[in-house]
Amino acid sequence: MFGREHRAGDLDVSSGAVRTYAGVLGAEGLASYRRLAEDAWAGLPPLGAGDRGTFDGHRFRVTTMMAALAGASGDVDAVVAVLAKDQSAPCQFVRIAERLRAAGRFPDALSWAERGLECFGPQADHRLLAVAAEGHHCAGQGHRAVELAWAAFAPRPSPAASQRLHAQGTRAGTWDAWRPRALARLRAEVTRRIAAARGSGSRHGIRPPWGLGADASDLAEVFLLEADPEQAWAEAKAGRCSPSLWLELARRREADHPEDAIPIFQDEVERLIGAKNNDAYRQAADLMAHLGALMREAAQPDAFGPYAAAVRARHRPKRNLMKLLGARRW
């Protein structure tokens, strides 16, 4: 049984033998299995940060055997010892900390999470940061959780990192104090990226196409996450944003400001038609129908006819599209 599981020669049918066949193996069989597994385990070197080997098939199978044996014994320290032999990636520290938390050993879980952060830094894996932050909150040290989230956010601000900082600050009751600092850091980074992109473009005589390159997408997205679509719109207008975010902003604004959404949806119609497939043509036709309704809401009831005629004129060679538009009598 050990040989079949170790070699994985039967497509892993024998994987997890300790759990599946414990009753058949009995005490004597399990003892023999353990000796064989421990001999193989002893031949595996410990892995530290930066070492390779985590995805080695032989190592994986032997580690799985040892983890199953440790788990069957109910000894949490034995499970941790198995996991701790591979500290080559942040996820290993997450697994250790989560196993300790499940056993109610919260200080030990926090200690392992902090060791992982020392090895890899707060930006390496947001799951590791979350485990450490949870430990600090449980220990009544919410401020430490926020500081960790800031340490991950500040070097490379992003909407996702901002959300994590917001979550920790809210839980600690200090978000109102941290929010201006976080927005200022994100705005500074967006400004830096835009300036760098413009400088690069001017040196080479290249201007990035609409919607590409550095823009204010991160700022706009953060304000959308904060349920402030007006400020998100202002940021996008001032610094541009990605096409997908323009569409999201248009959907948020169409009810109260249809005139703002119309040109964005018109650009999306052209993008869909440019995909040159029947599904995209159907989506474009549906969006054009939506545009007709928006134009009426924007007090532009006579605008749709000329718009539809212009679309037909631009794309007349696309016969399948023409059939779709003709069916709608446009």
Side-chain angles (χ1 to χ4, degrees):
M1 182 62 67
F2 172 84
R4 292 173 70 87
E5 185 175 8
H6 187 213
R7 291 190 299 272
D10 53 4
L11 301 178
D12 286 339
V13 170
S14 301
S15 181
V18 167
R19 294 183 296 272
T20 307
Y21 302 107
V24 177
L25 291 170
E28 185 177 356
L30 284 173
S32 297
Y33 180 97
R34 179 183 292 277
R35 284 194 298 272
L36 292 166
E38 287 176 346
D39 286 345
W41 179 247
L44 299 180
L47 298 178
D51 289 338
R52 302 178 66 86
T54 301
F55 302 106
D56 175 76
H58 165 70
R59 187 182 189 99
F60 173 78
R61 288 188 291 275
V62 174
T63 301
T64 300
M65 293 177 191
M66 291 299 297
L69 286 165
S73 73
D75 186 343
V76 176
D77 288 319
V79 175
V80 169
V82 171
L83 295 174
K85 196 165 187 177
D86 180 357
Q87 300 179 28
S88 63
C91 63
Q92 290 298 109
F93 292 88
V94 175
R95 293 174 65 192
I96 293 170
E98 288 179 341
R99 185 67 183 82
L100 288 165
R101 281 187 57 78
R105 292 170 53 175
F106 303 110
D108 291 337
L110 176 57
S111 177
W112 272 99
E114 288 183 325
R115 286 173 64 177
L117 290 171
E118 289 173 5
C119 290
F120 297 98
Q123 292 181 309
D125 190 323
H126 67 87
R127 296 169 300 172
L128 180 58
L129 187 145
V131 169
E134 182 66 24
H136 285 303
H137 283 298
C138 290
Q141 300 175 334
H143 67 282
R144 285 287 297 123
V146 184
E147 288 166 0
L148 280 177
W150 173 261
F153 169 84
R156 291 199 299 270
S158 70
S162 177
Q163 267 195 300
R164 289 190 281 271
L165 178 60
H166 176 274
Q168 300 303 334
T170 300
R171 184 171 177 181
T174 58
W175 175 240
D176 287 345
W178 280 92
R179 182 178 180 273
R181 184 179 176 186
L183 283 176
R185 177 68 191 94
L186 180 60
R187 189 177 298 280
E189 177 62 17
V190 166
T191 300
R192 184 196 67 78
R193 291 200 301 254
I194 291 174
R198 286 174 178 167
S200 175
S202 64
R203 283 196 301 272
H204 299 288
I206 299 171
R207 180 175 178 175
W210 179 87
L212 299 178
D215 55 35
S217 291
D218 283 358
L219 272 170
E221 186 174 343
V222 164
F223 283 112
L224 279 181
L225 291 170
E226 291 188 346
D228 188 351
E230 288 297 323
Q231 187 59 38
W233 177 257
E235 299 293 346
K237 291 288 285 184
R240 300 186 306 151
C241 68
S242 66
S244 61
L245 198 51
W246 275 123
L247 282 174
E248 178 61 23
L249 288 167
R251 295 185 188 103
R252 299 285 188 101
R253 292 185 69 78
E254 63 178 320
D256 297 324
H257 303 281
E259 68 283 356
D260 289 338
I262 287 169
I264 297 172
F265 286 141
Q266 287 175 328
D267 286 342
E268 178 65 4
V269 167
E270 294 300 315
R271 188 196 69 79
L272 287 166
I273 293 173
K276 298 180 181 179
N277 66 72
N278 290 336
D279 184 57
Y281 291 160
R282 282 190 290 271
Q283 292 180 57
D286 289 342
L287 188 51
M288 287 178 66
H290 186 60
L291 274 165
L294 284 182
M295 288 172 177
R296 290 191 294 274
E297 292 174 15
Q300 303 171 12
D302 299 325
F304 184 74
Y307 165 68
V311 171
R312 290 182 66 94
R314 279 195 300 274
H315 302 289
R316 194 166 300 280
K318 300 178 176 71
R319 290 178 294 177
N320 288 347
L321 175 64
M322 292 301 104
K323 290 178 183 177
L324 284 171
L325 300 186
R328 297 185 185 233
R329 298 185 180 180
W330 294 336

